[in-house]
Amino acid sequence: MTSAENTPAAGPRPGRYPAGSRAFPHRDLLAVGALERHEILFLLDEAEQWVAMNRTAAKHTDLLGGLTIINAFFENSTRTLLSFEIAGKRLGADVVNMHAAQSSVKKGETLIDTAITLNAMRPDAIVIRHGSSGATALIADKVDCPVINAGDGQHEHPTQALLDALALRHALQARGQTADDFTGLTVTICGDVLHSRVARSNILCLQALGASVRVCAPPALMPQGIEAMGVEAFHDFDRALEGTDVAMMLRLQTERMSGQFVPSPREYHHLYGLTARRLANAAPDAIVMHPGPMNRGIEIDSDVADSIDRSIITAQVEMGVAIRMACLDVLTRRRRGIAGWGDPA
Ligand code: NCD
């Protein structure tokens, strides 16, 4: 990493990406894998104004006044659903949450029929979380409004990767380091990589921004052929942490496991838990991240998770609202008739 020359990014920066809708030419946000580097930077820069607003007392604008956003969550979620709900409300939109437990899905309605039903209510954006990889793309194909993927199976969770990048940018800036891109930075993602859409989206996002990515997992939780994504794969956590600038910990996603993937939580903690002693193998002042929900004492110890100097876990949650505000704003510009973003739909 090179040292400071930057002031915190204040908003979209002309010249960094094409103007108007060409800065983000997609109707939907389904996967980081579909984004160019400049499109990622555009969303991060757009989010900075919302980070600033969210730190003021008022925290509200009517930018999306009159628009309806449906959060359709077919899988349990606390922080992601709340984060999208707060984001939509702070932008002045009408936000409606649909929980699968209360929906017609339980009565046997197909996903496509659900999509057609939601679409008939003329929403201006739909945010979807679903347990099956590819479900959000299937729905996006059937509706007329922008769709945001809030996590689909083991595939992607693009807003998580974007908020992680924004939190990392802020942490690096606070240390006086160049945070405009992550070239020279090594990030180690450790845990249940096999079942993690967060890992996949983060690998793609961090690499697009220039970082080197290592992944670490027990053999049973490491996807076959992960090296093809350009990462270095480790089973030995101490080696994976050597000299790393960032340790990103993942939860054991037991709800996605059929059968026994790890001998016991105690054994897992012994080999793969992030402890203060282990963190000493990383670069001095290495940053600790976790997308939540955390299992304290399994993949991460409380003293590490709560370390004011090292952990940016609560900043990740804060940045989540700002990133989701940026995504909702940018994706609805066309239908709001914003100059340069095409005719209203
Ligand atoms: C993650 C998810 O649901 O993909 N959580 C989140 O969105 N913050 C990771 C997890 O459930 O462990």
Side-chain angles (χ1 to χ4, degrees):
M1 281 179 284
T2 46
S3 68
E5 36 92 273
N6 50 36
T7 50
R13 294 186 230 169
R16 215 156 125 101
Y17 15 67
S21 61
R22 288 190 309 123
F24 195 84
H26 310 276
R27 190 199 70 167
D28 309 303
L29 176 61
L30 299 179
V32 174
L35 303 184
E36 301 283 340
R37 172 192 155 86
H38 74 81
E39 295 165 3
I40 294 172
L41 286 172
F42 177 70
L43 291 176
L44 297 186
D45 289 352
E46 282 281 340
E48 296 290 357
Q49 65 192 300
W50 306 122
V51 175
M53 190 189 87
N54 289 339
R55 289 177 176 175
T56 65
K59 296 186 198 61
H60 194 273
T61 155
D62 281 321
L63 199 67
L64 303 196
L67 266 55
T68 303
I69 298 168
I70 300 180
N71 291 326
F73 276 57
F74 298 87
E75 211 186 47
N76 286 339
S77 163
T78 312
R79 79 191 64 214
T80 305
L81 176 59
L82 206 57
S83 181
F84 270 109
E85 185 174 358
I86 291 171
K89 286 182 170 165
R90 285 194 183 161
L91 291 172
D94 295 320
V95 182
V96 189
N97 295 337
M98 191 202 87
H99 302 275
Q102 299 151 10
S103 77
S104 299
V105 176
K106 290 277 180 233
K107 299 179 186 168
E109 185 174 77
T110 66
L111 190 58
I112 288 173
D113 282 334
T114 306
I116 292 168
T117 303
L118 295 180
N119 192 51
M121 296 179 196
R122 296 189 163 270
D124 298 289
I126 303 180
V127 179
I128 300 164
R129 168 166 287 198
H130 198 283
S132 302
S133 306
T136 49
L138 190 73
I139 293 178
D141 205 39
K142 301 289 171 208
V143 301
D144 302 311
C145 67
V147 170
I148 299 178
N149 178 5
D152 64 330
Q154 299 167 29
H155 173 228
E156 277 229 38
H157 190 354
T159 59
Q160 179 69 45
L162 293 168
L163 76 87
D164 288 338
L166 189 62
L168 201 46
R169 171 198 271 192
H170 277 247
L172 295 173
Q173 277 168 347
R175 292 163 178 217
Q177 290 164 346
T178 299
D180 215 29
D181 79 32
F182 298 156
T183 304
L185 201 72
T186 301
V187 181
T188 300
I189 302 176
C190 179
D192 185 357
V193 181
L194 181 66
H195 297 102
S196 180
R197 54 198 174 205
V198 173
R200 182 175 309 277
S201 290
N202 257 303
I203 290 169
L204 295 166
C205 188
L206 290 163
Q207 287 177 337
L209 296 178
S212 304
V213 182
R214 300 175 184 168
V215 292
C216 178
L221 293 175
M222 184 73 89
Q224 287 249 324
I226 184 104
E227 292 86 351
M229 288 187 82
V231 297
E232 241 189 304
F234 294 80
H235 299 307
D236 180 331
F237 192 23
D238 290 306
R239 279 197 48 228
L241 281 175
E242 260 167 41
T244 199
D245 300 294
V246 181
M248 184 183 285
M249 304 307 295
L250 302 173
R251 184 176 66 91
L252 282 178
Q253 307 217 351
T254 40
E255 73 279 10
R256 297 192 191 286
M257 296 178 191
S258 46
Q260 190 89 357
F261 278 76
V262 290
S264 72
R266 203 160 157 264
E267 177 81 3
Y268 183 82
H269 175 263
H270 178 65
L271 292 172
Y272 295 100
L274 188 62
T275 61
R277 187 197 60 75
R278 268 218 167 97
L279 190 56
N281 290 329
D285 300 328
I287 292 166
V288 174
M289 303 179 75
H290 194 307
M294 268 188 287
N295 289 313
R296 291 170 181 264
I298 301 181
E299 75 268 10
I300 189 164
D301 275 4
S302 277
D303 55 346
V304 178
D306 300 333
S307 158
I308 292 168
D309 302 333
R310 316 292 285 273
S311 166
I312 61 166
I313 295 170
T314 47
Q316 289 173 261
V317 179
E318 181 191 4
M319 297 301 151
V321 176
I323 275 292
R324 284 152 186 151
M325 290 171 82
C327 294
L328 290 170
D329 167 22
V330 168
L331 292 177
T332 57
R333 281 184 190 174
R334 184 168 196 274
R335 47 182 55 224
R336 286 186 287 131
I338 305 296
W341 289 78
D343 299 328

